[in-house]
Amino acid sequence: MIHSLRFRLLLAFILVILVAIGTVSLFASFTLTREVRQYEEQVDQFRFTRTERLIIRHYIERGTWVGVQPLIEQMGTLYGRRVVLTSSSGTVVADSQGELVGKQYQSAVPAKPLVPRGGGTPVGTLYILPNEADPTSAARLNKAINLFLILGGVLAIIVAVVVTIFMSRRILKPVRALTVATRQLAQGDFSHRVQFKDKGEMGELAQTFNSMAESLDRYEMLRRNMVADIAHELRTPVSHIRGQLEAIGDGLIQPDAKTFSSIYEESLLLGRLIDDLQELSLAEAGKLSLYRQTTDIVQLIQKTVDAVRAVATTRGIVLTIDLSGELPLCDIDSQRIGQVLHNLLDNALTHTPRGGAITVAATHVNKFVEVSVIDTGEGIPPADLPNVFERFYRVDKSRARATGGSGLGLTIAKRLVEAHGGKVGVQSELGKSSRFFFTVPIVT
Ligand code: ADP
């Protein structure tokens, strides 16, 4: 409860209200008291001057204060204040309340010495006492203002509670939705999305959450697919090996050199698949260590092409290198890039019929060297082109199996090139040719 957003919001509202009311109340009472006091002093002054003449005239006409009491009583009633008049010796000669007459009187309240016109010694002193029972106008005003502020404050707090309940419901709705969605995500349900369309921070948060959930969903799907793919890829060679071994056990086939060589071939395929998977998982986790060195790409191309030349010749395929002009030195891990080129050449050799041609070309493009492997082979249907770099993707599923490829060659090539900061691509015309290319950075 104490930690809830609603409670904190309410607390903040109440705090703001109290601070505002406190400040206004302080300011108002301070300024108003001063203003009202000044005004009252002016009024008192005015009363003094008006009554002063009247009282002095009474004294001058009679030569004594005798009979002044009714006048002072009238004044008291008129002003609503106690009025005390003392003689020049300080003895009370009239008191609007009558009690002090004949006594000595001295007071701290503003006193007005009564000096006859034309000057001379004062004939007495007039005191207009503050009314104790009746607070001053300033105090009254202060009280009224404070009451008004307290009532305003109570009203503001009631409004704050209502607004908080309403606002927190609006604010908390997406938060609650996000909490539910996060809980579901934590339980492995990646399909859940927050249905909340709002502009501003909450909307942004909901959107970010949804895209995070989408990524997780996608990764989860990829992971599941990958596990399924791997299981599928491993099943064929394993069941082949098992089938052959069972057949030998049952005496259905002879354990001769041909059988063993077939089993050996399958085990090689399994080994290659496992190596490729390991390489791919390293590359995908960004854990591939590259030993980049200044490399003469021309030499690397020649060396790699030479390595497959014998196979090409056996298959009746013409293999040529086409380098346009001087090529700059490259900043690459020559073994890895050699592996990429080897992969592309292997594929080209597999998919090019006898009598075909394979050309390895390289050109300097900006800060990269682009290496292409062009074949006059079977080509790739346009619909398959965007997928050939995906793991285990094969254009012709049945035939590719027979060629013994793991279906990971292009995926690994792509990851290796990307680890160097380069790009891979493919262009193809079905039944005519294919061009696989990649770029590698030059030494800068
Ligand atoms: P594989 O181990 O099956 O060769 P790759 O990842 O190297 O796996 O290639 C993926 C798929 O791309 C291949 O199965 C094949 O269908 C297609 N492919 C690759 N290179 C070529 C090429 N030069 N000509 C035609 N198809 C190709």
Side-chain angles (χ1 to χ4, degrees):
M1 167 69 184
I2 287 177
H3 297 291
S4 79
L5 191 66
R6 182 175 286 176
F7 182 74
R8 288 179 188 192
L9 210 63
L10 185 63
L11 215 64
F13 269 135
I14 292 177
L15 201 74
V16 170
I17 291 167
L18 290 183
V19 168
I21 288 177
T23 320
V24 170
S25 151
L26 253 169
F27 181 75
S29 83
F30 179 73
T31 347
L32 279 171
T33 312
R34 206 185 48 203
E35 291 293 321
V36 169
R37 201 157 281 153
Q38 269 175 8
Y39 171 74
E40 281 186 336
E41 271 168 24
Q42 272 175 8
V43 171
D44 275 354
Q45 194 59 41
F46 181 63
R47 282 172 180 162
F48 268 132
T49 5
R50 266 182 42 200
T51 48
E52 186 189 15
R53 299 279 140 236
L54 221 63
I55 295 167
I56 292 176
R57 195 186 306 148
H58 178 99
Y59 183 84
I60 291 172
E61 276 174 10
R62 318 235 165 127
T64 167
W65 283 122
V66 177
V68 77
Q69 176 68 20
L71 191 64
I72 295 299
E73 274 173 22
Q74 258 179 27
M75 277 170 58
T77 323
L78 203 64
Y79 301 153
R81 309 262 289 270
R82 188 174 188 172
V83 182
V84 176
L85 173 68
T86 60
S87 66
S88 48
S89 61
T91 315
V92 176
V93 288
D95 169 11
S96 62
Q97 289 183 10
E99 295 160 5
L100 297 171
V101 180
K103 295 180 181 154
Q104 280 289 317
Y105 186 75
Q106 193 95 47
S107 171
V109 299
K112 177 82 181 166
L114 300 167
V115 183
R117 203 178 288 183
T121 47
V123 293
T125 311
L126 188 69
Y127 298 90
I128 298 179
L129 276 74
N131 193 340
E132 299 298 334
D134 180 25
T136 60
S137 312
R140 259 205 316 270
L141 207 62
N142 250 336
K143 220 168 141 184
I145 285 173
N146 283 341
L147 187 73
F148 175 78
L149 284 175
I150 287 169
L151 283 179
V154 169
L155 193 73
I157 288 174
I158 292 170
V159 172
V161 171
V162 174
V163 169
T164 309
I165 291 171
F166 181 73
M167 261 180 70
S168 60
R169 197 168 290 164
R170 272 193 65 119
I171 295 174
L172 289 178
K173 204 174 144 200
V175 174
R176 289 226 177 87
L178 275 166
T179 313
V180 170
T182 315
R183 207 167 283 147
Q184 242 146 345
L185 207 71
Q187 284 164 2
D189 175 8
F190 298 110
S191 62
H192 197 84
R193 299 285 179 275
V194 189
Q195 301 298 336
F196 180 74
K197 287 179 185 50
D198 186 38
K199 294 194 178 80
E201 289 89 343
M202 278 301 170
E204 218 173 290
L205 184 63
Q207 259 182 1
T208 317
F209 176 87
N210 282 348
S211 48
M212 181 190 76
E214 246 157 56
S215 300
L216 284 174
D217 203 10
R218 207 173 45 245
Y219 284 130
E220 176 59 12
M221 209 175 71
L222 281 177
R223 191 188 65 80
R224 263 196 237 127
N225 285 352
M226 187 166 175
V227 173
D229 284 348
I230 293 170
H232 177 79
E233 293 298 321
L234 291 176
R235 191 173 298 125
T236 321
V238 168
S239 59
H240 249 242
I241 293 172
R242 197 179 53 210
Q244 302 224 43
L245 290 175
E246 278 170 4
I248 293 172
D250 294 346
L252 293 175
I253 53 170
Q254 288 304 310
D256 53 14
K258 196 172 149 248
T259 313
F260 281 126
S261 131
S262 159
I263 293 173
Y264 180 66
E265 285 288 318
E266 290 292 344
S267 76
L268 279 187
L269 180 62
L270 260 180
R272 197 156 57 237
L273 186 60
I274 291 164
D275 288 347
D276 282 357
L277 275 171
Q278 194 181 15
E279 179 100 341
L280 184 66
S281 80
L282 279 179
E284 290 197 330
K287 296 259 167 62
L288 265 186
S289 39
L290 296 179
Y291 300 102
R292 292 169 82 142
Q293 282 171 327
T294 301
T295 309
D296 182 355
I297 189 91
V298 177
Q299 256 183 26
L300 183 65
I301 291 172
Q302 269 159 357
K303 203 173 96 183
T304 318
V305 168
D306 285 346
V308 296
R309 196 172 289 284
V311 183
T313 314
T314 329
R315 295 193 188 167
I317 296 166
V318 182
L319 189 56
T320 47
I321 298 177
D322 172 18
L323 303 177
S324 57
E326 282 266 304
L327 285 178
L329 293 172
C330 291
D331 174 31
I332 52 172
D333 180 332
S334 59
Q335 210 195 325
R336 303 281 195 196
I337 295 302
Q339 187 187 342
V340 171
L341 184 55
H342 203 285
N343 248 324
L344 297 186
L345 281 169
D346 257 358
N347 279 350
L349 285 167
T350 312
H351 299 281
T352 306
R354 185 168 282 278
I358 298 174
T359 312
V360 179
T363 45
H364 179 189
V365 187
N366 297 325
K367 289 181 174 173
F368 293 88
V369 166
E370 186 185 88
V371 182
S372 311
V373 177
I374 307 143
D375 64 52
T376 59
E378 64 201 43
I380 299 166
D384 291 301
L385 269 184
N387 302 320
V388 288
F389 288 100
E390 285 185 15
R391 65 167 90 89
F392 299 123
Y393 193 86
R394 289 172 180 131
V395 175
D396 181 345
K397 278 73 186 168
S398 52
R399 205 198 130 189
R401 259 239 60 81
T403 63
S406 67
L408 293 172
L410 286 179
T411 318
I412 294 173
K414 183 173 189 262
R415 298 280 183 273
L416 289 177
V417 169
E418 282 172 352
H420 281 82
K423 280 192 168 56
V424 292
V426 58
Q427 291 165 334
S428 186
E429 215 178 316
L430 190 59
K432 274 195 165 172
S433 68
S434 301
R435 179 173 94 92
F436 279 86
F437 58 91
F438 63 90
T439 57
V440 281
I442 62 169
V443 177
T444 46

